[in-house]
């Protein structure tokens, strides 16, 4: 390789490394500016230019931003092919930038407390009007509306989780919420969706069990939709949720 070519390669590598570090830092610190596609792009350029395998990338970046890097490692698994990705997001559904966010609603779709109240407040009164036209929603089902005044998403997918009863139906109904929400996102031709921890607040579903159901049902959906590319964010409003997801995803 001529000196000139080597210099050009070094310059390109430094540029993409800087971009990658920037994306990872934003992922950890300032999620408003985090962009998954930019991160993927920079990551692949660095891998190409350095001829790295996954392990070497780990050691290069693991120390710098270990927490966010751990969450982003899954991006490597598809070997450049577009595929659905499940990512932990350190923030609530109103903080994530996604085509749709998922609301933990009630059967009447009448608004309420918790994330439902926060979403209605942020979306504005038109959301209630739209919800009233949907004829309610059964437990385990999902229905979509516009996101109105919420600018970080275009759609809200309202799903109704089970009130925890400690019975065999709980995981079936909760799993159905995740799958039906993903079906709705696909029907609308969307490619990213942010979930809150459905049923884990007012409805009393134990957190670790709910995270396990979320993981398993989303993985099942991804497996049964191999040709779809969906960026799926598990939004963690509290530190407890991050810890629980990390435990079930490790
Ligand atoms: N912003 C973002 N996420 C939040 C917020 C918020 N302000 N508040 C809670 N979460 P919950 P449920 C997360 O209780 O258990 C309502 O009254 C929280 O960390 O909102 O499914 C409805 O109308 C958790 O991950 O919903 C229903 O009647 C997730 O939101 C009932 O509560 C769900 O907690 C639904 O109960």
């Amino acid at each position: 390789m001529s000196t000139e070519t080597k210099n050009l390669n070094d310059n390109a590598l430094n540029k993409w490394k800087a971009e990658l570090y920037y994306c990872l830092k934003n992922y950890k610190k300032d999620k408003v500016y985090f962009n998954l596609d930019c991160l993927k792009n920079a990551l692949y350029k660095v891998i190409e230019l350095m001829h790295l395998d996954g392990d070497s990338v780990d050691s290069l970046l693991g120390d710098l931003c270990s927490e966010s890097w751990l969450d982003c490692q899954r991006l490597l698994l598809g070997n450049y092919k577009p595929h659905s990705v499940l990512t932990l997001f350190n923030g609530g559904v109103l903080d994530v930038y996604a085509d749709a966010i998922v609301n933990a609603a009630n059967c009447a779709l009448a608004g309420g407390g918790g994330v439902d109240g926060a979403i209605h407040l942020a979306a504005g009164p038109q959301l209630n009007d739209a919800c009233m036209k949907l004829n309610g929603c059964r437990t385990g089902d999902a229905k979509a509306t516009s996101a109105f005044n919420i600018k970080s998403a275009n759609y809200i997918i309202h799903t109704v989780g089970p009130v925890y009863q400690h019975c065999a139906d709980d995981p079936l109904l909760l799993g159905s919420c995740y799958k039906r929400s993903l079906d709705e996102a696909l029907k609308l031709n969307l490619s990213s969706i942010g979930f809150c921890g459905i049923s884990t607040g007012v409805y009393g579903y134990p957190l670790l069990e709910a995270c396990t159901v979320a993981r398993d049902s989303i993985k099942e959906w991804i497996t049964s939709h191999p040709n779809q590319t969906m960026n799926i964010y598990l939004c963690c409003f509290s530190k407890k949720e991050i810890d629980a997801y990390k435990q079930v995803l490790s």
Side-chain angles (χ1 to χ4, degrees):
M1 189 190 293
S2 72
T3 318
E4 202 177 318
T5 314
K6 186 179 176 319
N7 284 344
L8 281 176
N9 271 354
D10 286 350
N11 286 344
L13 180 60
N14 286 338
K15 172 182 170 287
W16 288 114
K17 268 191 189 172
E19 173 77 10
L20 182 53
Y21 292 159
Y22 175 77
C23 290
L24 284 167
K25 274 192 188 154
N26 280 341
Y27 187 78
K28 194 170 182 180
K29 280 200 192 136
D30 204 349
K31 44 197 175 297
V32 171
Y33 299 110
F34 175 69
N35 181 315
L36 188 63
D37 289 330
C38 291
L39 171 76
K40 271 187 181 177
N41 198 27
L43 180 61
Y44 297 154
K45 295 283 186 202
V46 170
I47 292 169
E48 270 169 24
L49 287 163
M50 293 184 76
H51 308 288
L52 292 177
D53 59 20
D55 287 347
S56 323
V57 180
D58 282 354
S59 58
L60 181 74
L61 297 166
D63 288 342
L64 183 79
C65 270
S66 54
E67 194 185 327
S68 40
W69 180 240
L70 257 187
D71 294 338
C72 294
Q73 271 174 327
R74 290 176 193 85
L75 301 178
L76 275 175
L77 297 177
N79 265 344
Y80 302 94
K81 273 192 300 190
H83 61 294
S84 293
V85 178
L86 181 59
T87 311
L88 267 192
F89 178 75
N90 191 353
V93 281
L94 286 166
D95 299 317
V96 75
Y97 277 72
D99 295 334
I101 54 171
V102 176
N103 180 22
N106 51 55
C107 287
L109 298 181
V115 72
D116 198 7
I119 285 177
H120 273 264
L121 192 65
Q126 283 170 293
L127 177 58
N128 192 48
D129 298 343
C131 284
M132 288 304 99
K133 291 183 184 140
L134 294 176
N135 270 332
C137 181
R138 277 179 308 183
T139 304
D141 200 2
K143 293 187 177 179
T145 63
S146 158
F148 298 103
N149 294 340
I150 295 173
K151 298 298 168 224
S152 47
N154 295 321
Y155 293 91
I156 300 167
I157 297 176
H158 307 265
T159 189
V160 183
V163 177
Y164 187 68
Q165 316 270 2
H166 206 287
C167 69
D169 273 353
D170 297 330
L172 297 178
L173 289 167
L174 185 59
S176 168
C177 289
Y178 284 95
K179 290 182 192 163
R180 283 285 306 117
S181 299
L182 288 161
D183 288 343
E184 285 299 299
L186 203 56
K187 227 162 55 181
L188 291 163
N189 218 7
L190 311 183
S191 58
S192 57
I193 182 169
F195 281 100
C196 66
I198 303 156
S199 284
T200 61
V202 179
Y203 282 179
Y205 212 114
L207 192 52
L208 267 182
E209 286 176 39
C211 292
T212 307
V213 174
R215 176 199 65 193
D216 292 347
S217 52
I218 291 171
K219 281 192 176 167
E220 246 176 65
W221 188 91
I222 291 176
T223 309
S224 58
H225 296 80
N227 299 320
Q228 305 299 335
T229 305
M230 192 70 78
N231 281 318
I232 304 163
Y233 300 98
L234 295 168
C235 300
C236 299
F237 187 57
S238 67
K239 165 100 172 53
K240 265 193 320 197
E241 288 176 289
I242 299 173
D243 292 343
Y245 268 126
K246 280 193 174 161
Q247 203 174 320
V248 304
L249 291 174
S250 62

